[in-house]
Amino acid sequence: MTNIDDVAQTLAEYERLAITSGATVQIDPPEFSADGDHWLPIVGELTPRWARATVHRDGIATTVYASWDESLPVETAQTEDGRLWRDIWEQKPMQRFGSFIVRAALRRAFREVIGDRVEPDEDAPRVSAPEAAVDRTDWDAQIEDAADVAALEQIWRDMRPARARTGAREVAYLARRAQLAAAAWEPAPARDLSADELAHHHAFFGHEPKAPQDHQAPQNRAARRASARKKGGRR
């Protein structure tokens, strides 16, 4: 069984293996969060709830996220001298959690040289079944099916206490929010004019009625007005 000092050298070994791939390797310092929204290299809480690390391979970034509860070693995992890995993590949470998340990022970015190694302080399953809360909500489907921005933002808020926020889901959330915001600017369907209204329009304007253009998004109206100014139109 590997002792504590050996594991302290594991991160350096991961870096060395990554360099043997021949790629340019850059490792950003790990960051921690208490709420999943604000990230800092150091957090004031005794144990950070979230961690993330970014590794750059030839300029291409790989970012890995993890929660403390899912990463903490199981209660029975011990070092060679009989100490509990969980106790060691809780004594130095940012050091151990930071090393764990950087190793995970390196493993994902350089899998062909690091492989699927599992270190002594990260044996799976990490949280015993009676303690692990199972979230069976299909959050991905909820993000995709959100009817409007307000509903989507409520889903995102609900995901925080459920610890369901991940990097991939944040990307999906932001993309869906932009999509819904753009759709909100679509012009409403034109109302059909009555026979009297059509006759009045023809008598006054002499042509078929056109759809009102000011239903376009604000940026389209601004561009149209700028074009009108160039042509000597209204300012």
Side-chain angles (χ1 to χ4, degrees), residues 27-108:
I27 304 171
D28 293 347
E31 294 181 304
F32 306 95
S33 176
D35 58 10
D37 289 329
H38 304 90
W39 296 87
L40 296 169
I42 297 175
V43 293
E45 292 187 347
L46 180 62
T47 55
R49 290 184 59 190
W50 304 91
R52 70 180 180 185
T54 299
V55 170
H56 304 266
R57 176 173 182 159
D58 288 335
I60 300 175
T62 296
T63 302
V64 174
Y65 294 76
S67 73
W68 171 266
D69 289 343
E70 293 174 346
S71 306
L72 190 65
V74 295
E75 292 181 351
T76 56
Q78 295 183 358
T79 66
E80 191 174 49
D81 56 4
R83 297 177 61 191
L84 293 175
W85 278 115
R86 175 169 290 205
D87 291 343
I88 296 169
W89 270 55
E90 290 175 342
Q91 289 168 4
K92 296 182 177 180
M94 283 186 292
Q95 181 188 59
R96 294 295 169 180
F97 200 13
S99 175
F100 169 84
I101 196 64
V102 172
R103 293 196 310 256
L106 283 167
R107 190 183 296 124
R108 181 176 299 180

Side-chain angles (χ1 to χ4, degrees), residues 42-229:
I42 297 175
V43 293
E45 292 187 347
L46 180 62
T47 55
R49 290 184 59 190
W50 304 91
R52 70 180 180 185
T54 299
V55 170
H56 304 266
R57 176 173 182 159
D58 288 335
I60 300 175
T62 296
T63 302
V64 174
Y65 294 76
S67 73
W68 171 266
D69 289 343
E70 293 174 346
S71 306
L72 190 65
V74 295
E75 292 181 351
T76 56
Q78 295 183 358
T79 66
E80 191 174 49
D81 56 4
R83 297 177 61 191
L84 293 175
W85 278 115
R86 175 169 290 205
D87 291 343
I88 296 169
W89 270 55
E90 290 175 342
Q91 289 168 4
K92 296 182 177 180
M94 283 186 292
Q95 181 188 59
R96 294 295 169 180
F97 200 13
S99 175
F100 169 84
I101 196 64
V102 172
R103 293 196 310 256
L106 283 167
R107 190 183 296 124
R108 181 176 299 180
F110 298 91
R111 188 170 297 278
E112 80 280 8
V113 292
I114 297 177
D116 296 321
R117 294 177 49 162
V118 177
E119 304 307 325
D121 67 334
E122 54 184 24
D123 289 332
R126 311 200 59 77
V127 181
S128 58
E131 296 179 358
V134 179
D135 180 11
R136 302 187 184 279
T137 306
D138 191 343
W139 295 107
D140 298 322
Q142 288 206 29
I143 291 174
E144 184 178 351
D145 297 338
D148 51 41
V149 172
L152 179 64
E153 290 180 341
Q154 182 59 55
I155 292 169
W156 187 246
R157 285 193 293 270
D158 292 342
M159 290 172 69
R160 178 186 293 175
R163 297 178 180 178
R165 292 183 178 182
T166 64
R169 283 173 177 163
E170 183 175 5
V171 171
Y173 158 73
L174 293 174
R176 181 58 176 159
R177 193 182 190 285
Q179 183 183 37
L180 291 170
W185 284 106
E186 291 183 358
R191 178 178 63 86
D192 292 335
L193 299 180
S194 66
D196 290 342
E197 288 172 327
L198 283 171
H200 177 75
H201 184 91
H202 279 292
F204 191 82
F205 293 103
H207 59 73
E208 291 291 330
K210 297 180 180 179
Q213 295 189 10
D214 271 351
H215 283 294
Q216 298 179 24
Q219 61 269 29
N220 294 335
R221 296 201 303 269
R224 190 178 67 254
R225 289 167 180 165
S227 177
R229 285 198 297 271

